Amino acid sequence: MSNKVNIQRLATGVPGLDELLGGGIPEFSFNLVAGTPGSGKTTMAHQIMFSLAGPDRRAIFFTVLGEPPLKMLRYQQQFPFFDIAKVNQSIKFVNLAADLLEGDFDRVLARIADEVRDFSPSLVFVDSFRSVVQSARSMEAGGAGLQHFVQQLGMQMTSWLATTFLIGEYLVPEAESSPVFTVADGVVWMSQQVHRDALVRKIQVVKMRGQAQSLGVHTFRIGDDGVQIFPRAMMKMAIPITISGQQRLSTGVKELDQMMGGGVPASYSLLLVGPSGSGKSVLATQFLAEGVRQGEPGVIAAFEKSPNQLLSHQLNAMIDSGQVGMINTRTLDLSIDEILHDLVAMIGRLGAKRVVIDSLSGFELALASSFRDDFRESLYRMVAVLTAMGVTVLMTAELEDQYTMLRFSSYGNAFLADAIVMQRYVELEGQFKRAISVVKVRASDHSKDIRFYDIADGGIQIRESLAHYHGILTGRPSNGGGGCEIKD
């Protein structure tokens, strides 16, 4: 062939699905939407159909031995994508139950052919196709008849220039032996998994001919607007990432900037660790407030408490003015991809340069239990994606109150951070005093001092070093050592 055939890709209207498919559904393709019962196959099929159907692109929806069309439509009308004006105009529903009960595949094919010929649709849906498979087992033709039926249906739909979707409830053992999977141009697998007390929905593009689909398993939700998919965000390496530490962002605390060698290097991830009440959220708020003063919008994902408990008047004012965006994290059983999807969308909308995650412990609790097992790996991917966007990330992590050992991360996540700032308590003269130190700043020199600080109305106020205080008490210089064991 001398001329390349260009295949048009149809936008599905399902948020996130086109990205998984590699740009949309190939026109005139033969597709299977398969999965476990209740996983959202019919809802997604309707969402695609109502999005694509119109006067110039009609759709026909065949129902087999599944639920009656009237019952199905009663529930589908609750979604905003459902347009009653399209029914019987651009969209037609046909019940094939009586034809299939006769046990004759040829009759079913003939009925489909007649309906398609009369309505001239560009989109054809058959739901539930597993009913056809089960009927085949009771017929004399059996598997051979089913394979012939699938091949004939596929050829007919292609010859009529129709994009076809077969919807079916399949289990993995059936799927591996089903002729439908062999003939289909595209296969989308949907499932729902119960892990402890959480239910998580997943979707995978098993096959999509002629285009590069997004590999792996992705999460999705069925909400008030229908199906929404959250593709696994991956760091794009088209532009080499270098760590130079030349451009600095102020933390909002002048003395801390000096301790870090001039502030937080841009596009770094900063891990702020400390025990309860040490002022991590206070410093995170100052970090965002300084960004607002510098014309750098920010985003906060607050997992620690409810918004009313967490937000200070200063942070509330920044959110109300639109200079800082807040991710809604009140819903439990989230996935990393869902949170990252919302973060990336808000960063793009605001042009944000700073992101605060407060805190990692609350973040982990907000995740569905099935995602906590790979929390460390998923968090690494999220930080990599955000910093690759040019965003500077501040994460807070609460540590146990231990006074004989320094541990920078209770999750072993310190390796994620390009910089670490530690807040701790020091017992002196019968009182607990707060102390702060810079543990590391990659590719940059920084202060090794441990300095006292107070929390006042203006925020964090850093004072003299522990060594200076010890020298005053003893009358001689001291390195401030306390024989603590330091662990990462």
Side-chain angles (χ1 to χ4, degrees), residues 293-482:
R293 282 191 290 269
Q294 298 291 337
E296 299 166 352
V299 174
I300 181 170
F303 298 92
E304 197 66 21
K305 300 177 182 178
S306 67
N308 291 334
Q309 293 174 308
L310 171 81
L311 301 184
S312 64
H313 294 298
Q314 183 184 21
L315 189 52
N316 260 320
M318 291 188 290
I319 293 173
D320 291 341
S321 66
Q323 296 167 306
V324 170
M326 184 171 182
I327 299 296
N328 179 12
T329 60
R330 286 172 291 179
T331 303
L332 296 179
D333 294 343
L334 299 169
S335 72
I336 287 278
D337 297 312
E338 186 172 352
I339 295 166
L340 183 54
H341 173 275
D342 293 344
L343 276 171
V344 170
M346 187 167 286
I347 289 168
R349 187 165 63 251
L350 296 178
K353 297 297 182 183
R354 303 182 181 216
V355 169
V356 167
I357 299 174
D358 187 22
S359 68
L360 293 184
S361 54
F363 185 12
E364 186 183 29
L365 290 175
L367 295 176
S369 55
S370 59
F371 294 107
R372 293 174 194 163
D373 295 337
D374 61 349
F375 175 70
R376 192 166 177 253
E377 293 78 7
S378 298
L379 185 61
Y380 171 79
R381 181 164 51 86
M382 185 179 76
V383 171
V385 169
L386 294 177
T387 53
M389 295 174 63
V391 174
T392 304
V393 182
L394 187 154
M395 303 172 288
T396 70
E398 184 164 330
L399 303 182
E400 295 179 5
D401 300 330
Q402 298 183 3
Y403 308 108
T404 59
M405 180 171 60
L406 297 181
R407 187 181 296 273
F408 300 141
S409 173
S410 56
Y411 304 94
N413 291 325
F415 78 99
L416 290 171
D418 301 309
I420 299 177
V421 172
M422 170 167 277
Q423 298 172 322
R424 56 179 300 207
Y425 292 116
V426 177
E427 186 179 357
L428 286 174
E429 299 178 315
Q431 290 185 333
F432 277 135
K433 296 184 181 295
R434 296 185 179 96
I436 191 168
S437 57
V438 178
V439 177
K440 78 170 182 180
V441 181
R442 279 195 181 123
S444 175
D445 193 15
H446 60 86
S447 171
K448 309 303 187 294
D449 288 342
I450 300 175
R451 298 183 64 174
F452 293 114
Y453 69 95
D454 294 322
I455 301 176
D457 292 339
I460 299 289
Q461 297 178 357
I462 296 180
R463 297 167 38 222
E464 72 277 3
S465 70
L466 182 63
H468 176 72
Y469 185 86
H470 186 80
I472 293 175
L473 291 179
T474 63
R476 63 179 184 272
S478 171
N479 58 11

Side-chain angles (χ1 to χ4, degrees), residues 97-113:
D99 301 276
L100 191 60
L101 285 174
E102 296 293 327
D104 187 350
F105 278 139
D106 291 333
R107 176 173 175 177
V108 176
L109 276 172
R111 175 73 189 282
I112 292 176

